[in-house]
Amino acid sequence: MRVANRLAMALLTIGLASKLTAQQTAVVINLTEQTAYLLENGRVALISPIASGKEGRETPTGNFRVINKDLNHRSGNFGLVTDSYGRIVNSNATPGSSVPPGCHYIPAPMPYFMEFRKYVGMHAGYLPGYPASHGCVRMPRDLAADFFTRVQIGTPVKVIGSSRNVTRVRRAIPIVQLGESPSATVFSGSQPSRGAKHLARVRKAIPVVDPGRSKYAIAFPAGRNF
């Protein structure tokens, strides 16, 4: 409950506490906490750790709406180059990168893609424990699937905080999780930013909060354009 309480206080201070209408869903992404919150019917329904944009590629802040959903999305801008044996030659490639003979370029998979700004969205991916993406918001695969099921085109998304002031570093959360194929590809391709290297506090992922047990009614004000 301490997590939900902190979220309630944070949203109250930025003027987001009003009663949600029935069936209304919204997402709050806190870059400082590296955490995403799904709000349903005035309550915190899901909480997910994230990996947001790294230094120089920060996730944009502001008020947005989900503009596209794609279950099996692949990046049009980033990927990797592998050889004929599947070994990674370049883990941070683009479509314009040099591809040696016998190798090929693979666009980065971005399953459960929920786009809220052009080319920027939430999706399943590798969480190294610090901001590491090219601007998107990575989530553990199971939580990305849950968010994907519950958000719709038009769902409000509010991005707050700053990845330059990250308060916590988590243990790495791979895209391959229990019950999934051990041969699934992990796209990391990033190194810690200067700020992340100096962060020492490590903790596990925040658990999901059962909306039926949360007493906090968190809301987006009626009529506000998010």
Side-chain angles (χ1 to χ4, degrees):
M1 287 301 181
R2 233 182 307 174
V3 172
N5 191 27
R6 287 201 307 270
L7 175 63
M9 294 303 296
L11 295 183
L12 279 167
T13 59
I14 58 176
L16 295 181
S18 282
K19 189 173 182 179
L20 281 174
T21 57
Q23 303 304 314
Q24 187 172 349
T25 300
V27 176
V28 175
I29 298 169
N30 191 315
L31 302 181
T32 305
E33 294 183 355
Q34 289 292 285
T35 303
Y37 301 87
L38 182 78
L39 313 177
E40 282 185 340
N41 303 325
R43 298 172 186 265
V44 179
L46 294 171
I47 302 176
S48 176
I50 65 167
S52 65
K54 59 186 177 182
E55 187 174 359
R57 296 249 183 200
E58 289 87 354
T59 302
T61 57
N63 300 316
F64 310 96
R65 287 185 180 273
V66 174
I67 57 176
N68 182 42
K69 292 175 64 180
D70 187 353
L71 182 63
N72 296 304
H73 187 72
R74 288 187 174 270
S75 175
N77 300 311
F78 303 101
L80 53 77
V81 175
T82 63
D83 63 17
S84 57
Y85 296 99
R87 294 174 298 198
I88 298 174
V89 175
N90 181 355
S91 63
N92 197 28
T94 67
S97 296
S98 174
V99 179
C103 298
H104 59 283
Y105 173 81
I106 304 175
M110 302 166 73
Y112 304 107
F113 186 60
M114 295 160 277
E115 187 176 20
F116 57 82
R117 178 175 165 174
K118 193 171 184 181
Y119 307 129
V120 178
M122 300 169 279
H123 65 84
Y126 175 60
L127 279 69
Y130 50 82
S133 78
H134 291 96
C136 282
V137 176
R138 301 178 191 167
M139 298 176 167
R141 190 180 185 92
D142 55 345
L143 285 168
D146 287 340
F147 270 69
F148 187 89
T149 299
R150 301 188 190 202
V151 306
Q152 305 299 328
I153 303 298
T155 294
V157 177
K158 187 171 187 69
V159 184
I160 61 176
S162 171
S163 59
R164 295 174 181 266
N165 299 312
V166 173
T167 55
R168 303 175 182 88
V169 176
R170 297 180 175 88
R171 294 187 179 95
I173 302 175
I175 195 170
V176 180
Q177 296 170 39
L178 293 176
E180 297 190 71
S181 170
S183 60
T185 302
V186 175
F187 280 76
S188 54
S190 306
Q191 296 298 321
S193 66
R194 290 196 303 268
K197 290 178 181 177
H198 298 291
L199 293 168
R201 185 179 179 186
V202 178
R203 69 180 179 81
K204 295 181 180 178
I206 300 173
V208 173
V209 173
D210 181 346
R213 297 181 181 178
S214 173
K215 63 181 179 180
Y216 302 101
I218 315 301
F220 286 80
R224 288 286 296 276
N225 181 18
F226 290 99

